[in-house]
Every structure is written in C-alpha cells, then in structure tokens.
Amino acid sequence: MSEANEFAAVTKAFSGLGVDENLFISSLGRWNRYQRESYRVSTPGFFNEDERQFQRWSDHHILQLRQEFLRLKDAVVLYTMHPWERDARLFKEALLLKIPQQDVLIETACTRSSEDLLGARKAYHSLFEHSIEEDIAHHLKAHERKLLVALVSTYRYEGPKVNDDLAKSEAKVFVNALKDAKKKNLIEDEEIVRILSIRSKLHLKAICSHYKEMTGNFLDEDLDGDLILKQVVQCLCSPQTYFSKILIASLSLDVEESAKDSVTRVIVTRADENDMKLIKEEFQSKYGSTLAAKIQEVANGSYRDFLLTIIAKSD
C-alpha cells in the first residue's frame, strides 16, 4: 500500500463509530517518527501546526478518539449487565446530564414489559438508595415531571382484552385536545396523561386506530408540535418505528456524540427482545438499506463486529 493510501486508511480508522484496531496494529504501530510526522502534516483535520511549528492534536479530536476507543467497552459492559440494572443505570445517566435525556426515560419506560419496568425500579432502589420517581421529580420541569413519573410508575395490563367503546371515546379525547392545543399545552392535559400512563398497549393501539378513522391522520404525526407526547405514543404503539428513526439519525459521521451513543443503547437494549427483528424490518422498509449494511458502512473494527453479531441473532 502506498504511503498516501495508508494515511487515508488510518484516517478512516480514526473516523466513524468505533476504531479499526487491526489497522492500527498493522500500519500505525510500525511507523517510524518520520512517517508519523508526515501523517500529522498531511492530516490537518486532526492536527494543527501552532506558532512553535509543531503539529498538535486538535483537542476536540483527542476527546472524540478517546470516546471511540471506549465505545466497544461500553457496549460490552451494557450487554452483560442484568437487564434491570442496565435500565436503572440508563435512567440515572439520562437524568444526570445538564439537560436530561427525556427520550431515554421515555423509551425505557414505555417499551418494557410491566415486570421488567418494575424490576428496573427495584434495581434503581438497590443501586442509588432512592426511587426513580424522586429523581425525575427533582430533575425535570413541572409540566414534564407528571407525565414521566406516571410512565415509570405504571404497571400496565398486558392481556388481550380491549374495551373498544372506551378506546373510541378516549380517541375523541385526543381529537378534542389537539383541537384546543393552541389554548392549552397538551402535556398539561390530565386526561391525556392519564390515558397514556395507565392503558394497555393494545388499548392504546386501538385508540390510535380510532383516531385515524376519525381524523384521517396518524396520532403520532399530529403530535409533531409536542415531541415528548409524540415519542410516548410511538414507543407505546410502534416502537420499531421509533427505534428505526433513532438508528438512522445516529448512524452518521457528522452527528453529536450523544446521538452516536444511541446506536449502542438501542442495539444492546433491544438485543433479546422481539423488537430487534421488527426494527430491522422497519429499517429496511423505510430507508432502503439493511441495518447491518448501514452499520458496516459507518462503524469500525471490533465495535462494528460486536453490533453485527448482536443483530444477527434475530435473523
């Protein structure tokens, strides 16, 4: 391989999600000091020459590269955790950020079974010696707090029975609430919060179906003006749609670090659920590419191989 091609290959190994460990060993590890200097000079995106005429790493890229080396470790640690501990720790990490990651709270609370959500709450007690409800109440604003506390506290019925008349009447609640959305913030509507936090997922799907019959629109699309409620409805009624959108937005080279982290979270937390098969089908249908092909395109090294191995289990 020519020096220019080798430099380009190493730069690619530094980029994307994860790192290409084998290439670092076979190429970077055998370079002498002059080759390393030549690489620094020819890669101004990573290195900048300062007034003292030496090429220094960009601080941004140092932080970014450290994160990419950690990506495999974080995925393995999450994957091997007990599911309850994993969800409890995801709850905690989401709340400790300067701006809490409400999407992580919503997707975990709304896509788990009643038993697994209860288990995550028990794990939270054991790990942090207080409740997830307490922490949500402390970290979130008042109008978001009530909904999120209700979602993590619920124990939904998971049987097959649905009261269709009740579902139709509650669909009308959404129709009327959306008509009045300019007058009143939907997330502050007690009836909306009550319905979303206590009804079974089959019942909520029936509500969405009746809403479509009444309005000609999909409920989640009509909730575009309220992202939190939109995410709640999608996670409760069509999680494969929600997770596919998260993945396509995250599998890109130019997204923020927190968005890249979503790839690990979604794939690892959905690994043992029927969700993964549905997510892969939805992803291919919606974006014209398999999830495996997109990961192969963007990710590197052992991190890429680990993700591909996980998603292959659902084939």
Side-chain angles (χ1 to χ4, degrees), residues 127-146:
L127 290 166
F128 309 116
E129 298 185 336
H130 49 275
S131 72
I132 177 63
E133 292 91 339
E134 288 178 86
D135 277 359
I136 288 176
H138 175 70
H139 288 285
L140 296 187
K141 297 175 183 176
H143 68 280
E144 301 158 348
R145 180 189 308 152
K146 189 170 185 179

Side-chain angles (χ1 to χ4, degrees), residues 2 59 64 70 110 119 121 132 141 148 157-158 170 179-180 183 187 191 194 201 237-238 248 255 263 275-276 301 312:
S2 71
D59 290 341
Q64 187 178 44
L70 288 172
C110 294
R121 290 167 62 202
I132 177 63
K141 297 175 183 176
L148 268 295
Y157 166 68
E158 293 178 337
E170 290 182 339
K179 285 180 181 177
D180 294 336
K183 301 177 184 177
I187 203 170
E191 278 293 278
R194 180 187 64 81
K201 293 175 185 179
C237 299
S238 56
I248 195 65
V255 297
V263 176
D275 284 355
M276 181 52 70

